Amino acid sequence: MRLKGKVAVVTGAGSGFGEAIARLYAEEGAAVVIDDLDETAAKRVADTILQQGGKAVAIRADVTKSADTKAMVDRALASFGRLDILVNNAGFPQRNQPMTGVSEQDFDRIFAVNVKSIYWAAIHAVPVMKKQGGGVIINTASTAAGRPRPGLTWYNGSKGAVVTITRSMAVELAPDKIRVNAINPVAGETPMLSEFMGGAVTPEMRARFVATVPLGRLSQPLDIANAALFLASEDAAFLTGVCLDVDGGRSV
């Protein structure tokens, strides 16, 4: 078990990439705090882990808010005594449309969930990790950061910020033995897919997008979970500031 004895917090873990990461972490021995705005979904994932013999607790925390993020970190400490791994996975999509058609409300939400949440996570989790003598932070960015597509300009920008923030955090926190990396998924089989494609995902739309991925498919949650497991494990002990494309070659 590659994460035996570790404690992880995974945000946006009620479905999609976050659920897959949380479940794989638990299978590999970690105790996991499952955070999601959908409390029912968070409890479902936690219950599944418990039924399979793992360790998990669920919490509803809005990662755009300081008090909620602090409560999430405090839950990890109260339940399991420490915090070794933080996965900032919660995200908010932009519906594919011209940049000038995005409302201010949606713009603010995109940056609050995708970017400001990492600020609040750092404010509340980094001091804990420093006190413990180290830790791992993994941010979910996107191939949109390095290969932006039309119709997703503000989302692209938010993920570009995540990449830059990840690299900057990595060099600043390295003396504290806190590794910070990011994962850049290509579009995947998650509830956000229809937003990225501008509505209902038709077979024709899917085929056009898949044709741009050299390995010939969209990402699956387990693809992202496997990358997150590697980056959190001792196998990646000398990796920090890495922004790992998990994209079937699309960014080449």
Side-chain angles (χ1 to χ4, degrees):
M1 289 191 175
R2 284 178 280 181
L3 300 181
K4 186 176 181 179
K6 301 295 186 181
V7 177
V9 169
V10 183
T11 70
S15 64
F17 297 155
E19 176 178 357
I21 292 168
R23 292 177 66 167
L24 187 57
Y25 277 12
E27 290 173 15
E28 291 287 340
V32 189
V33 177
I34 311 294
D35 164 62
D36 203 278
L37 268 179
D38 184 339
E39 189 172 11
T40 299
K43 287 181 176 179
R44 176 187 59 79
V45 175
D47 287 345
T48 299
I49 290 171
L50 292 170
Q51 289 164 9
Q52 294 173 345
K55 298 179 180 178
V57 294
I59 186 170
R60 182 196 180 280
D62 182 343
V63 293
T64 70
K65 297 179 179 178
S66 177
D68 279 25
T69 306
K70 182 178 186 302
M72 181 178 71
V73 172
D74 288 347
R75 183 64 178 275
L77 300 177
S79 298
F80 304 118
R82 56 187 295 112
L83 174 57
D84 301 290
I85 304 161
L86 171 64
V87 182
N88 290 310
N89 171 75
F92 190 80
Q94 175 188 328
R95 174 158 291 225
N96 197 302
Q97 62 182 300
M99 67 180 80
T100 54
V102 176
S103 69
E104 182 182 9
Q105 181 180 6
D106 283 347
F107 175 91
D108 287 345
R109 187 66 178 167
I110 289 166
F111 275 82
V113 177
N114 297 351
V115 182
K116 193 173 184 179
S117 63
I118 298 175
Y119 166 77
W120 287 129
I123 293 296
H124 297 295
V126 167
V128 173
M129 291 182 174
K130 284 184 176 181
K131 186 176 180 180
Q132 290 175 174
V136 176
I137 297 172
I138 299 170
N139 299 320
T140 299
S142 172
T143 55
R147 194 179 177 192
R149 292 190 297 130
L152 298 173
T153 290
W154 310 120
Y155 177 83
N156 296 340
S158 74
K159 292 304 185 177
V162 173
V163 166
T164 300
I165 288 168
T166 296
R167 290 173 173 159
S168 187
M169 288 177 70
V171 293
E172 183 168 336
L173 297 177
D176 298 298
K177 307 302 180 187
I178 299 172
R179 297 191 296 106
V180 187
N181 294 296
I183 298 172
N184 297 336
V186 74
E189 301 287 359
T190 74
M192 290 187 183
L193 183 60
S194 61
E195 291 297 298
F196 293 134
M197 292 194 175
V201 182
T202 66
E204 293 77 18
M205 291 171 62
R206 181 185 294 270
R208 282 199 302 272
F209 190 88
V210 167
T212 70
V213 180
L215 287 183
R217 65 173 175 84
L218 300 178
S219 69
Q220 298 290 331
L222 187 58
D223 296 321
I224 311 310
N226 282 329
L229 172 60
F230 168 67
L231 290 174
S233 74
E234 287 303 307
D235 294 337
F238 200 54
L239 296 184
T240 197
V242 168
C243 299
L244 180 62
D245 292 333
V246 183
D247 66 349
R250 187 176 188 277
S251 297
V252 175

